[in-house]
Every structure is written in structure tokens, then in C-alpha cells.
Amino acid sequence: RVVRPSPPLASDMYGELIPRPVESLIACLEQPSAMGTPALFGPPDPTARQINEVIEAIAAGVSAESACSNNVRLAAACLAAYIRKLPEPLISSPHYERLCSAMDVEVYAERIAAVRDEVSEMGESHQAVLHRLFNLLSKLSQRSTAPGNGPEDLAAYWTAMITPLTPTKPK
């Protein structure tokens, strides 16, 4: 079986399913200046008012860079807040529980198949946003040498953003 990489995001057929604030903020965070920011998704946190103003400006057509005054920490906080405030988490409780179960499958190929099958059961818009977000996080963890941007740090931070507030892992 040949494993093919994901298509380039510029020609992503699900790109229209990604909300403009998410796409714009991620594009801003993919810039080299953001990749070198230590603990990009860490404190200090902006105020709720700052976050709301940025998200409103982006929704009105302003670029994320302009809306954030080139402050990458503000862009990162806005992305996290936007994702967290979605009407439902990107990974709902039933999907979360089944993904956790899939991670416990011992045989690697079966584990990957179980994860793939569970993700395929999610809505297309959720898949598109997760794809775009994970692409950013993968780039950040691979390219950034700044402290706080490693895979473990990003996983710990983003798990709380994309999963239910009180996930329960099945026993």
C-alpha cells in the first residue's frame, strides 16, 4: 500500500469548509516569525475584548496580521479561543471516546485504520478544520526550535481546545 501525503492546502477541496477566521489565523501563524516564538500558545493571554475585536475584524475581511497588529501571540490566542467557542467541539464526546479506544489497539496498522475510520465518521467541516489545524501544529513542532512548541506541549494544549470540556476515556 502506498501512503500519499495530504494534498497541498492551496488546492484542498475542503478549503471552503474552513471558517475564514480559522484559515486567516492559521495562515498568519505559519509565517517564520510565528514559528520562532517561544511557547506560541502560552501566556500572556490577551483579554476577551482583544480576542473578540480580532475575530470580528477578520470576519469582516481584515487580514489576521492587520487585525492582530502583527502580534503572533494574539493571533495564536484568537485561534485557540475561536476553536474553543465553536458550538460543539471539533471532536465530540462519542468520537473522542472511540479515538481513545483506537489508540489502545496494539497492532499499528489496525490502530491507524481505527483512527482513520473514526475520523471519517466526523462531519466534513470538522475534518477540514482538523486537517488544517494539525498541519499547522505539525509544521510548528517540526520547524520551531523555540521552547514550548514541541509535540508534547502542543498536544497538551490543543487536546483541551478540540475535545469536550470533560472528556471521559473509556475503560
Side-chain angles (χ1 to χ4, degrees):
R1 179 171 179 221
V2 176
V3 177
R4 293 189 175 96
S6 297
L9 292 171
S11 62
D12 187 354
M13 65 187 209
Y14 296 110
E16 71 275 358
L17 298 174
I18 300 172
R20 177 167 166 52
V22 172
E23 183 61 39
S24 184
L25 289 163
I26 287 177
C28 175
L29 295 172
E30 288 177 329
Q31 301 304 312
S33 60
M35 293 283 172
T37 303
L40 182 60
F41 293 100
D45 293 327
T47 65
R49 181 180 185 151
Q50 288 173 304
I51 290 170
N52 290 334
E53 287 173 354
V54 167
I55 291 172
E56 287 172 11
I58 293 170
V62 175
S63 73
E65 292 85 357
S66 295
C68 293
S69 302
N70 293 314
N71 180 338
V72 293
R73 282 194 187 279
L74 178 56
C78 288
L79 177 63
Y82 186 91
I83 296 290
R84 191 71 195 140
K85 289 182 184 179
L86 289 172
E88 62 181 73
L90 284 176
I91 302 175
S92 64
S93 288
H95 292 296
Y96 177 80
E97 292 167 8
R98 289 189 292 264
L99 285 169
C100 287
S101 294
M103 294 309 296
D104 291 335
V105 173
E106 208 165 308
V107 178
Y108 178 77
E110 293 174 12
R111 180 171 57 242
I112 295 301
V115 169
R116 180 201 61 223
D117 292 347
E118 188 54 40
V119 170
S120 73
E121 295 296 319
M122 296 177 186
E124 284 185 338
S125 61
H126 287 225
Q127 290 180 40
V129 171
L130 286 168
H131 175 218
R132 190 72 174 91
L133 179 61
F134 289 164
N135 187 51
L136 166 69
L137 298 176
S138 175
K139 285 180 186 176
L140 182 61
S141 70
Q142 291 172 9
R143 295 180 186 168
S144 179
T145 57
N149 293 335
E152 295 84 8
D153 300 311
L154 294 172
Y157 181 84
W158 278 97
T159 297
M161 296 297 124
I162 64 173
T163 58
L165 286 173
T166 54
T168 57
K169 184 177 176 186
K171 296 179 180 185

